[in-house]
Structures are given as structure tokens and as C-alpha cells.
Amino acid sequence: MTSADDRPTRSGASEPEAPLADLHAFAVELRRMNGEINRMTHGFTVSQQLHPTDVSALAAILDAPAPLTPGALREHLGLTSGAVTACLDRLERAGHIRRARESADRRVVHVYYEASARTAARDYFMPLAEATARARARFSETELTTVLRFLTAMNEELGGLPPARR
């Protein structure tokens, strides 16, 4: 398997790997990837007639290791209780989520991503999954392990930053 630094760039010329200290190159590529994912997410938002916050909520619900409560979702998204309630109302009306009271304490509500909505999202984002598979195929398992470690570390660092100041 070839390594990332032996592969041709978009221009077709081979380009050596950027020095580790080249923070600018990392920033450019991370912004570029973020922009491309945002572009696809915006298309999904429009196709499903959702608000951008709704898609962020759906991603949080999908990625959570256990069912979320509205309070946990509020904390994750940094929204007010009223904004989360409005978001969940929209998502429930659109058939993307369901709310359930499953504990002895009837005040506790859990939010679930509906199976039919998962199918719609999976169908829409299949090109992203296929592009990811093609990109992954260009790297060795060792390289992918390193990339995953980097992305995990970046998310940990970003998650520890304070919210933007106004």
C-alpha cells in the first residue's frame, strides 16, 4: 500500500508530506473538509425542510452512546430549554425522532432517532460514506489508526474550548 506522501495531489504531481510544524496546512485542510461536510449537511437540511440546528441535534442523537434527554441535548448544543423544545417538536413532527418516558420517574424523557429517518439520512449521505471508503482505501491500517487518533484528539481539544465570545 502506498503512503499518503507518495500519492499524487489534485494537480497530479507528487507532493511530499507537509512538515509536522506546518499548522497552516492543517488549518487549511480542516477548514476545507469542514466546508465540504457543511455543504452536504446543508443539502440534507434543505431536502428534509429542517433548520440547521435540527441537523446538529439529529447528529448528537445519532452519535450518543445512550438515549439523550432534552437536558443533555440542550447542554451539548448550548441552547436554551425553549430552543431545544422547539427543535425537538419540529423533529418529532417531521418524523425524525420520538420522545419516550421509560423510567419510573415520568419527568424523564429520552429522545430516539426514528428508524425511517435513519434510512433517509443513510440514503442521502451514502455518497459521503462511499467517498470516505475510497479515501480510507488509500491508507494503511497503521496510517488510519494515526488519523483516527488525531481526529479524536482534535475533537477532545475543540470540546474543551470555551464557546465563542460575543
Side-chain angles (χ1 to χ4, degrees):
M1 171 135 321
T2 61
S3 69
D5 54 332
D6 293 334
R7 280 183 284 288
T9 62
R10 281 188 173 191
S11 66
S14 285
E15 186 173 283
E17 183 174 290
L20 289 178
D22 193 351
L23 182 60
H24 178 73
F26 273 94
V28 167
E29 292 305 321
L30 288 170
R31 279 192 302 268
R32 187 170 156 222
M33 184 174 66
N34 184 57
E36 292 298 333
I37 291 172
N38 284 344
R39 182 179 58 80
M40 291 197 71
T41 302
H42 177 73
F44 180 74
T45 301
V46 170
S47 76
Q48 297 295 304
Q49 300 176 344
L50 298 173
H51 186 277
T53 302
D54 300 345
V55 177
S56 295
L58 284 174
I61 294 164
L62 179 65
D63 294 343
L68 288 179
T69 63
L73 185 60
R74 178 189 58 76
E75 194 171 302
H76 178 79
L77 296 175
L79 299 174
T80 65
S81 295
V84 168
T85 298
C87 173
L88 292 176
D89 288 346
R90 288 189 303 268
L91 289 171
E92 196 168 42
R93 274 193 310 273
H96 287 275
I97 60 125
R98 69 180 168 83
R99 292 180 257 200
R101 298 181 192 280
E102 299 170 334
S103 71
D105 183 348
R106 299 292 295 156
R107 295 172 296 177
V108 177
V109 175
H110 289 106
V111 181
Y112 295 91
Y113 204 135
E114 285 285 28
S116 60
R118 282 179 191 253
T119 301
R122 188 177 304 120
D123 290 348
Y124 186 89
F125 287 106
M126 187 55 67
L128 177 59
E130 291 166 346
T132 302
R134 287 190 304 273
R136 285 181 48 148
R138 294 163 39 188
F139 294 84
S140 71
E141 284 301 315
T142 301
E143 289 172 315
L144 289 171
T145 299
T146 301
V147 169
L148 189 56
R149 276 187 31 238
F150 171 76
L151 292 173
T152 300
M154 275 299 300
N155 285 320
E156 289 169 356
E157 292 294 329
L158 293 173
L161 295 177
R165 293 186 209 140
R166 292 181 189 219

